[in-house]
Amino acid sequence: MDYQRKKKLTFSTIGLIFLFSGVEYAVILPTIWRYLQTLEAPPYFLGLALSAFSLSGLLSGPLFGYWSDRTQTTKKIILLCNIFEIIGNFMYFMGYSKWLLLSSRLLAGIGTGAGSSIFGFLTRSTASEDRATVFAAVMACRQAGLLIGPAFNIFLRLCDFHIGPFIVNKYTAPGLFMFLLWMLLQLAVVFMYWDLPPTERRKTDSISERHEEENVHGLGEENNEEEVEEEIVPLMTSQELVGSYGSMMTSSQSFEERHIKVLEIWFSCNFVLSAVFVPEFLREEVVVLLAAQFITLFNQTALETMVTPLTQKYFDFKELENSVMYCLGGVVVIAGFLLVHWLSRHFTERVVFTIGLTFCNISCIWCLIFLANPLGQFQLVLTEFIIGVFLQALGLPFVAVAQVSLFSKVTSERTQGFSQGVRRSVGGLATILGPLWGGGLTENMYIMVGVMVALLILLTVGKK
């Protein structure tokens, strides 16, 4: 099979991974609270179950990313992560007790750590100028999953039968459904996913092939051999190839390798702490992008938590109205990703990032002015609410895609999996703290939204 076909199948499989992760979130979230109630779980168990999923993903991301950097492979990691998803969702389907359900979300969350390896893989296998476009397409797949996920619940809520000792109803059916989807995805990864070579190595291979072809035709044999060697030598500075050609290392390279080995041991013992103290993560541009990851996700999840109580209080929205609202929001987000996909071909990531921050700033300031203490008639307040949500949903894709692409360029490509794991862990921390902030201050909107505005302004100033 030729390279281009392998690349298309591999990228399609990656799209399925992110699509299914979005579907899982959308089919489980609407019913998990009532599911816990049937298991006689106290109210705080909902927060535990949701946080457990984010927490295990936060911890597993850097670990799997570091593993992919060391091996320069991702297929085995994805297969392992899918096993965690399969087992976790089957445990969710089994039910029995609130503790089993909590454990199921903890295990499933470990499976999300594959995202770090995948982003590292995409960084290595795509050209720098195409990276934002590829990231936008991949991240849009997850949003598509969030959009179509509620549609599956329309059918899953009708389930009422037994499979052996297990009950299949509207609460357990989402777990069984995702168990089957992840099983199918496991087969897709086995047969449709390849660990493609890095971009620079591929270019060198093509140069070598061209030179060999010229040699066959008798065109400058000696000169071509020298050029091929010149092209290959720079690649040997990578850690993996240096280790394979020990006889070619100089004494300074051996000294450098010994230091790298020491760092590897440190990473293995405590990879999270090491990431904090590695100078690469203390550079200004890296800190700004990590702050962007945290602040945007913190604000997003805080607003998502605030939206439902707000619509109930001022508009008397029920489940149907909220579902329609989330679906429309998903449409706006997907439209934003498509717009970013187009803009990234004509503008730099920095411009896209600035546009996104502008939308987010306007949205939060709008919410602070008009929604912290809504005044006026129903139609006016509803219009103000729609504008605020629309601006927030539209700005997120710009910031999300641009900061991922920029982060891949300002961090070392050799440790890209680990770097993306750190970035995703920062995002995981935001998704844990955001709902706690939003849920605890629904009656103090000025404080809640005011802090969010301050964080965005701080990020905007830091970006400059």
Side-chain angles (χ1 to χ4, degrees):
M1 188 179 297
D2 61 18
Y3 171 79
Q4 289 300 326
R5 185 171 178 79
K6 286 183 178 180
K7 183 176 180 180
K8 289 180 180 178
L9 290 175
T10 299
F11 280 27
S12 297
T13 306
I14 290 174
L16 285 177
I17 293 172
F18 281 86
L19 177 72
F20 286 2
S21 68
V23 170
E24 179 178 357
Y25 184 87
V27 299
I28 286 181
L29 187 63
T31 58
I32 188 172
W33 170 229
R34 291 189 179 274
Y35 190 8
L36 285 167
Q37 288 179 314
T38 64
L39 300 174
E40 300 181 351
Y44 65 83
F45 244 76
L46 175 61
L48 285 179
L50 297 178
S51 296
F53 184 81
S54 298
L55 179 63
S56 57
L58 180 152
L59 297 175
S60 65
L63 179 61
F64 288 128
Y66 173 68
W67 182 7
S68 69
D69 290 335
R70 291 287 293 116
T71 61
Q72 293 293 292
T73 60
T74 54
K75 185 171 183 176
K76 293 179 180 178
I77 297 173
I78 294 173
L79 290 172
L80 176 61
C81 289
N82 285 351
I83 290 174
F84 282 108
E85 288 278 11
I86 291 168
I87 296 174
N89 279 286
F90 189 78
M91 290 170 60
Y92 188 91
F93 160 64
M94 291 170 60
Y96 288 135
S97 74
K98 57 182 181 290
W99 294 106
L100 185 63
L101 192 146
L102 178 63
S103 301
S104 74
R105 301 312 295 154
L106 194 66
L107 279 178
I110 296 175
T112 63
S116 304
S117 302
I118 291 173
F119 277 114
F121 165 79
L122 292 175
T123 299
R124 293 189 295 267
S125 59
T126 57
S128 176
E129 60 272 14
D130 298 330
R131 202 164 293 162
T133 303
V134 173
F135 286 164
V138 169
M139 296 170 76
C141 288
R142 187 176 189 278
Q143 293 299 323
L146 292 172
L147 183 62
I148 67 176
F152 290 115
N153 267 335
I154 296 175
F155 303 100
L156 295 176
R157 67 184 179 87
L158 302 177
C159 293
D160 187 14
F161 56 91
H162 287 73
I163 298 180
F166 304 114
I167 301 174
V168 183
N169 55 31
K170 60 183 178 181
Y171 303 128
T172 61
L176 178 62
F177 177 69
M178 291 311 306
F179 166 78
L180 296 174
L181 283 187
W182 287 113
M183 287 288 288
L184 291 174
L185 183 64
Q186 192 78 325
L187 295 176
V189 174
V190 171
F191 296 108
M192 297 171 54
Y193 188 96
W194 285 268
D195 283 313
L196 303 175
T199 303
E200 61 174 2
R201 188 179 303 172
R202 211 165 53 242
K203 290 180 180 178
T204 303
D205 290 342
S206 64
I207 292 172
S208 301
E209 290 173 1
R210 188 178 71 248
H211 287 167
E212 289 176 3
E213 184 178 352
E214 291 174 353
N215 290 339
V216 171
H217 291 84
L219 298 176
E221 182 174 349
E222 293 182 359
N223 291 337
N224 287 334
E225 289 178 354
E226 292 177 359
E227 291 178 7
V228 172
E229 290 177 2
E230 289 177 358
E231 291 292 340
I232 294 177
V233 167
L235 293 179
M236 292 181 182
T237 59
S238 69
Q239 182 180 339
E240 290 76 14
L241 294 180
V242 167
S244 301
Y245 296 88
S247 60
M248 300 179 66
M249 293 191 301
T250 63
S251 59
S252 62
Q253 288 174 319
S254 300
F255 180 79
E256 180 182 357
E257 186 184 32
R258 286 197 297 270
H259 279 271
I260 292 175
K261 292 296 183 183
V262 172
L263 287 176
E264 289 175 356
I265 295 172
W266 174 248
F267 280 140
S268 300
C269 294
N270 198 332
F271 57 89
V272 174
L273 288 178
S274 64
V276 175
F277 292 105
V278 168
E280 179 178 31
F281 291 92
L282 297 179
R283 289 187 287 117
E284 181 180 355
E285 60 270 26
V286 178
V287 172
V288 169
L289 291 172
L290 289 176
Q293 171 80 350
F294 179 86
I295 292 172
T296 53
L297 285 178
F298 177 86
N299 285 4
Q300 177 190 354
T301 53
L303 286 174
E304 286 177 351
T305 306
M306 171 269 293
V307 161
T308 305
L310 193 68
T311 56
Q312 181 183 16
K313 181 178 180 180
Y314 294 106
F315 312 127
D316 196 28
F317 278 8
K318 302 294 191 301
E319 288 81 2
L320 178 60
E321 291 87 347
N322 283 326
S323 297
V324 172
M325 176 186 65
Y326 280 116
C327 285
L328 292 176
V331 171
V332 173
V333 171
I334 291 177
F337 276 112
L338 294 176
L339 182 57
V340 171
H341 187 276
W342 178 80
L343 286 175
S344 60
R345 296 179 180 273
H346 302 85
F347 300 96
T348 64
E349 289 94 337
R350 187 177 178 85
V351 174
V352 176
F353 189 43
T354 302
I355 295 173
L357 279 182
T358 302
F359 278 126
C360 290
N361 275 284
I362 295 174
S363 171
C364 276
I365 294 173
W366 181 278
C367 291
L368 182 64
I369 296 173
F370 296 105
L371 298 180
N373 184 25
L375 299 173
Q377 297 180 350
F378 177 88
Q379 292 83 355
L380 178 61
V381 176
L382 181 60
T383 302
E384 294 169 347
F385 173 79
I386 292 173
I387 293 174
V389 172
F390 174 81
L391 290 173
Q392 179 69 16
L394 186 61
L396 284 174
F398 289 82
V399 177
V401 173
Q403 60 96 1
V404 173
S405 182
L406 286 170
F407 190 80
S408 70
K409 294 179 180 180
V410 300
T411 52
S412 172
E413 187 168 320
R414 186 176 62 85
T415 58
Q416 195 60 211
F418 178 78
S419 299
Q420 293 291 344
V422 172
R423 182 190 64 79
R424 287 170 63 88
S425 291
V426 170
L429 182 62
T431 60
I432 293 173
L433 297 179
L436 296 176
W437 178 259
L441 291 169
T442 53
E443 299 298 325
N444 296 278
M445 293 284 290
Y446 280 112
I447 297 176
M448 186 187 79
V449 183
V451 170
M452 293 162 58
V453 170
L455 289 174
L456 276 173
I457 292 175
L458 181 65
L459 174 62
T460 306
V461 173
K463 181 188 75 68
K464 295 179 180 180

